Amino acid sequence: MTLKIYVAKDSVGRVRAPDTSHEVRAIEWMLEKAWSEFHHLQETYAIITNLRHPSADMVVLTERGIGLLELKHKYGEIKINPDGTWMAGLSVIKAGKHLNPREQVRSYTKKMREKVIRWILPTYIYANKDRWSMLKFQTSVCFTHPDADIRKAQKYINERHIVLDAWESNFSIIDIEDFTAWIRELRFQLQHDYEYSKDFEHVRLSPEMIVKITTDILGNVEWNEIYAAMPDGSPYGYLILEDAKGKQVFKLVKDHSIIGRSPDCDIVIPERYSKVSKKHCSITRTMYSIDLIDLGSSNGTFLNSRAIENSSSLQRGHILSLGGESVVQEDVCALKFETHEYTSLEVPPTKISTYVVQVGDTLKIIASKFGTTVDNLLGLNPAIANPNLIYAGQLIRVW
């Protein structure tokens, strides 16, 4: 596999997974996003969660670069005061013994870098400590709460109010949706205005070195249980269209799918539905929900006969009406949203292997739906470390 996932281990070598609910939810979502984007590639990627020595929420190693992330589950407007304190609304964002999350992630990265740099640099460069800073690492603070507004803090950073250390290629503030883009930008070096060192052109981690740094040097173990929760290409939902022409089932696999009559849409609606716009609406899966979003359609998007102005959360059994409120009009397209494929809109399935968690679901509720027990669900889903912690959009096995 090209994406490997690691986690800290305890004193006897057992997995020491993150234990706070918001961390588990955010990390699982971030790992799923990374798996979808990078697992099929030839290059090797490694993600460490819950690093203990030194401490860090997440470290990412690629063949081209290394970066460290500190996760903050804060909401409200995120801003940075002139005295260096970070605020979420009216609350100060705590960062352990450090003044702020920037100093926290900087300190953690500096300690980690000192442990691994000798294994990365060519010998003749490592012998000259003055040149160590030429090898750059990236640092970032990632806000995982959906209601965090990071724009003001990002502007503060972009206006260069924070000075980078010599060994930092970049410091950024991101949200959870920016995670994979941040990974793609990881580089050991940056080309400055008039300075470029060819000595670093060939600094590239081999797959074997990535594993060595992750396990032997930083002391982590592969998180084998989490692989069962990673995307396997199975749909997380379906849109079902039934009319006089027959039945069509559209699978929802991508986190963001555009729906409309245009042939370049992810889900193409038949031309006979003339009230549907070329690019009518979209369905987006986030860490917390599955959302229907109108894209400025001419005749509107309706959910259970109610118009949506911007977006609305989808639930199993909801009826989407594209182009009008009434689903009996021939040129209005009615789609039923399901989390498994029905043989008919009116007939329930005889067997289901997976289920997408809906808002408000608990394992007890899901067990009741499928005539099973919570213990059976936990046995089928070893990646669920906390039975009280599941999230909307999560795919779990039920048979």
Side-chain angles (χ1 to χ4, degrees), residues 236 255-257 282-286 288-293 311-314:
Y236 64 84
D255 286 337
H256 182 71
S257 297
S282 66
I283 291 178
T284 298
R285 183 174 72 131
T286 70
Y288 294 94
S289 62
I290 301 171
D291 297 324
L292 175 66
I293 303 166
S311 67
S312 185
S313 179
L314 280 176

Side-chain angles (χ1 to χ4, degrees), residues 21 24-25 28 357 361-366 374-375 377-379 381-391 394 396:
S21 60
V24 172
R25 183 178 300 173
E28 282 195 9
V357 177
D361 272 346
T362 64
L363 285 183
K364 185 175 181 180
I365 291 173
I366 296 171
V374 171
D375 286 341
L377 291 178
L378 290 172
N381 299 274
I384 300 179
N386 184 345
N388 296 316
L389 180 64
I390 57 175
Y391 56 90
Q394 182 178 359
I396 65 172

Side-chain angles (χ1 to χ4, degrees), residues 86-107:
W86 287 36
M87 307 293 293
L90 299 177
S91 301
V92 175
I93 300 175
K94 296 180 180 179
K97 64 180 182 180
H98 303 280
L99 173 64
N100 56 47
R102 153 68 182 159
E103 293 302 317
Q104 186 179 27
V105 73
R106 173 182 172 274
S107 174

Side-chain angles (χ1 to χ4, degrees), residues 30 45 79-80 82 116 122 132 180 183 212 253 256 259 273 288 299 313 354 389-390:
M30 294 167 79
Y45 298 80
K79 62 182 180 180
I80 303 172
V116 305
W132 289 9
T180 53
I183 292 177
K212 180 179 179 65
V253 178
H256 182 71
I259 305 168
Y273 293 105
Y288 294 94
N299 298 303
S313 179
T354 59
L389 180 64
I390 57 175

Side-chain angles (χ1 to χ4, degrees), residues 33-225:
K33 295 276 287 184
W35 187 273
S36 297
E37 291 203 27
F38 301 118
H39 185 58
H40 64 286
L41 302 179
Q42 292 185 348
E43 290 189 14
T44 298
Y45 298 80
I47 299 177
I48 307 170
T49 67
N50 206 32
L51 183 66
R52 307 302 295 175
H53 303 292
S55 178
D57 287 334
M58 188 173 287
V59 179
V60 179
L61 297 90
T62 75
E63 295 180 14
R64 298 173 181 268
I66 294 177
L68 190 145
L69 277 169
E70 187 64 22
L71 307 181
K72 296 297 179 185
H73 194 68
K74 302 296 182 181
Y75 62 90
E77 184 180 63
I78 310 301
K79 62 182 180 180
I80 303 172
N81 292 330
D83 65 357
T85 56
W86 287 36
M87 307 293 293
L90 299 177
S91 301
V92 175
I93 300 175
K94 296 180 180 179
K97 64 180 182 180
H98 303 280
L99 173 64
N100 56 47
R102 153 68 182 159
E103 293 302 317
Q104 186 179 27
V105 73
R106 173 182 172 274
S107 174
Y108 293 165
T109 307
K110 187 175 181 180
K111 291 176 182 178
M112 184 198 70
R113 189 172 179 278
E114 290 171 354
K115 294 184 72 169
V116 305
I117 194 169
R118 64 169 298 186
W119 303 99
I120 302 173
L121 288 175
T123 304
Y124 69 94
I125 298 178
Y126 181 74
N128 183 353
K129 194 170 183 177
D130 291 339
R131 302 185 69 191
W132 289 9
S133 64
M134 297 177 70
L135 188 74
K136 312 292 184 181
F137 281 32
Q138 287 185 218
T139 56
S140 183
V141 175
C142 177
F143 285 89
T144 60
H145 198 287
D147 294 326
D149 182 355
I150 62 175
R151 291 173 295 178
K152 186 168 286 189
Q154 286 178 321
K155 181 180 179 182
Y156 186 93
I157 297 298
N158 293 337
E159 291 174 349
R160 301 184 181 277
H161 291 295
I162 289 182
V163 178
L164 296 178
D165 280 336
W167 49 264
E168 285 182 292
S169 60
N170 188 33
F171 169 74
S172 58
I173 298 174
I174 64 174
D175 63 27
I176 201 167
E177 297 298 328
D178 297 326
F179 175 56
T180 53
W182 180 82
I183 292 177
R184 287 194 295 271
E185 294 171 358
L186 291 179
R187 294 292 185 273
F188 282 124
Q189 63 184 29
L190 282 181
Q191 181 174 349
H192 296 288
D193 293 341
Y194 302 105
E195 176 182 336
Y196 183 68
S197 173
K198 291 186 177 180
D199 289 333
F200 289 88
E201 286 182 343
H202 61 284
V203 176
R204 190 180 180 114
L205 296 182
S206 67
E208 294 76 18
M209 182 54 68
I210 289 176
V211 172
K212 180 179 179 65
I213 290 173
T214 303
T215 57
D216 298 346
I217 301 169
L218 295 178
N220 300 281
V221 292
E222 197 159 1
W223 196 0
N224 291 312
E225 295 84 358

